[in-house]
Amino acid sequence: MDAQDKLNRQYENKSIYTAGFYADPDNNLANRKKLFDTLKSLVMNQDASTPFSLQIMMTNSEINIMPLGLLDLNELKEYEKKQREIHGLDWHSDEIPLIIQYSPHTEDGKVVKKTVCSTQKLFADFNTQIENIWQTVKDFLNDNFAILSAIVKDLIADKNDVQKEYYTTFSKMSAAEREEKLGFTVDTAEVEQFSEYMANMHEVQAIVLSAGSFANHELLGKNSFSEMISDNVRRSTLFWVLDNTFYEIYYYFYNSNENSKLRKRLNHQRENLIVNMRNDAFHRAQELVEKQQKKVDFNEYFSDIFIPVAEQIVAEINKFKD
């Protein structure tokens, strides 16, 4: 039996069972529970012949857990070829390997695939195989967090340079000149703190505009907002971008401060911040649909959502320092 016959017999033209969730960059306990619950639901309600794909979205990557050959039949053919080279031409197995695919969304990122077990073993021995799957997923989550940390590190380095420029510029001005330039008073004693605030918001704006540009070009395009939001894939992608943007801003401030007590405070506030952000984004999307607004600029949409988030984080940091 060749790979095509095997796949046809295995799947019997069934529809693909799909599920997905967003992985918190720094909460493996919650991530493992989501993974466990999703795959447990699969084995309790389906059978080993069910074609399925579990997608785990992250800030700069995604993970797919699925049977080999689901997306590319040639992969299954190549697998069978290699097995015959190893075990001989008489090798035969009805098992479909289960793979975990890691896809970093970076310029030089390479897709990595690992075989962990088979779909039959997952259904027959769930408790053992879920742990094998989790260990591989956890490694990929760590790889993703390293990407996020590298991005944040670059933002912090740029912020330090920008802050120096602001401080030099504002320090050379008199209080009257600063008021004329800015429209409000900044005393000499406040120049350093104000320069830091301006530099922070410069980096936040860079994050926001990057996300807005992606949404404008890749999601909205020439469509109306209502058309875009009615498409399941693009709507899901929009809320994935929103979460990505939140975490880049959050970890930018979190990694900018090494005080463990301050980090603990920010970590305590994180869940409320992201829930409020998601609610705000959802309500703004609803308003745009109800108004049937023809022209929507995601740069403005993202700025209206995330500038207040950043200012709230800054307020938490200043409150702690005071």
Side-chain angles (χ1 to χ4, degrees):
M1 180 183 296
D2 63 20
Q4 181 71 64
D5 290 337
K6 177 183 287 189
L7 203 60
N8 285 341
R9 190 185 73 166
Q10 184 83 355
Y11 293 164
E12 298 175 351
N13 296 319
K14 294 180 180 179
S15 60
I16 298 176
Y17 181 94
T18 61
F21 65 84
Y22 192 103
D24 189 313
D26 197 21
N27 190 342
N28 278 339
L29 186 63
N31 294 333
R32 188 188 186 286
K33 185 178 186 307
K34 291 175 184 177
L35 176 69
F36 181 96
D37 290 346
T38 305
L39 289 181
K40 186 66 174 179
S41 175
L42 172 72
V43 301
M44 294 294 291
N45 295 287
Q46 302 295 323
D47 57 64
S49 67
T50 302
F52 69 92
S53 178
L54 169 59
Q55 184 180 46
I56 304 172
M57 302 302 298
M58 301 169 286
T59 49
N60 304 97
S61 315
E62 64 181 287
I63 296 172
N64 284 88
I65 303 173
M66 57 194 171
L68 183 67
L70 182 69
L71 299 182
D72 185 355
L73 184 61
N74 290 325
E75 292 181 342
L76 186 58
K77 291 180 178 179
E78 185 63 26
Y79 169 80
E80 291 189 328
K81 178 182 177 182
K82 288 182 178 179
Q83 293 303 308
R84 291 192 180 99
E85 290 175 354
I86 297 171
H87 303 290
L89 295 177
D90 293 333
W91 176 86
H92 172 75
S93 174
D94 289 329
E95 289 192 343
I96 301 293
L98 185 66
I99 66 165
I100 301 178
Q101 175 176 295
Y102 172 65
S103 307
H105 297 167
T106 58
E107 186 175 352
D108 300 321
K110 295 182 179 179
V111 174
V112 179
K113 299 179 182 180
K114 290 189 177 181
T115 302
V116 287
C117 59
S118 68
T119 56
Q120 287 81 359
K121 287 180 180 177
L122 175 64
F123 279 77
D125 187 10
F126 178 83
N127 290 335
T128 299
Q129 299 308 326
I130 186 63
E131 189 58 33
N132 293 333
I133 292 170
W134 166 243
Q135 291 303 321
T136 300
V137 168
K138 185 169 67 172
D139 289 342
F140 287 145
L141 290 173
N142 290 338
D143 291 342
N144 175 74
F145 193 72
I147 294 174
L148 174 60
S149 298
I151 291 172
V152 168
K153 184 178 179 180
D154 289 342
L155 290 167
I156 293 171
D158 184 66
K159 174 254 184 177
N160 291 334
D161 292 337
V162 172
Q163 182 178 351
K164 291 176 183 176
E165 294 177 9
Y166 277 127
Y167 182 76
T168 300
T169 300
F170 293 133
S171 294
K172 292 178 180 178
M173 296 180 182
S174 65
E177 288 173 329
R178 287 194 292 269
E179 184 173 4
E180 182 179 356
K181 178 74 174 179
L182 299 170
F184 51 86
T185 302
V186 177
D187 294 333
T188 301
E190 298 173 334
V191 169
E192 183 175 359
Q193 183 177 351
F194 179 71
S195 298
E196 181 178 12
Y197 171 81
M198 291 290 290
N200 281 330
M201 299 314 291
H202 174 88
E203 301 307 319
V204 168
Q205 196 67 23
I207 296 170
V208 169
L209 292 180
S210 176
S213 177
F214 173 85
N216 279 329
H217 292 95
E218 302 298 329
L219 301 180
L220 187 62
K222 296 181 180 180
N223 301 290
S224 69
F225 184 85
S226 296
E227 289 172 332
M228 186 219 73
I229 208 72
S230 64
D231 181 271
N232 289 338
V233 174
R234 286 186 289 174
R235 182 174 64 250
S236 297
T237 304
L238 171 61
F239 284 94
W240 169 71
V241 175
L242 285 162
D243 274 19
N244 289 358
T245 307
F246 172 84
Y247 281 118
E248 283 194 18
I249 292 172
Y250 172 83
Y251 279 103
Y252 164 74
F253 285 107
Y254 184 89
N255 288 1
S256 295
N257 296 274
E258 297 182 358
N259 187 303
S260 60
K261 291 183 178 179
L262 173 56
R263 285 187 167 190
K264 186 176 181 180
R265 181 182 181 88
L266 291 177
N267 191 50
H268 182 70
Q269 296 291 326
R270 182 176 62 170
E271 188 63 27
N272 286 335
L273 288 169
I274 195 169
V275 168
N276 291 339
M277 179 280 293
R278 288 169 177 161
N279 288 337
D280 185 28
F282 179 75
H283 289 311
R284 288 178 186 275
Q286 277 190 316
E287 288 177 356
L288 290 172
V289 171
E290 291 170 0
K291 292 178 181 177
Q292 293 293 311
Q293 191 167 328
K294 293 184 178 179
K295 290 186 178 181
V296 174
D297 184 355
F298 272 111
N299 288 330
E300 182 178 342
Y301 176 81
F302 275 71
S303 294
D304 289 345
I305 292 169
F306 287 107
I307 296 303
V309 171
E311 289 178 339
Q312 188 172 348
I313 295 175
V314 170
E316 289 293 334
I317 292 172
N318 290 337
K319 191 188 303 180
F320 179 86
K321 290 178 179 179
D322 293 340

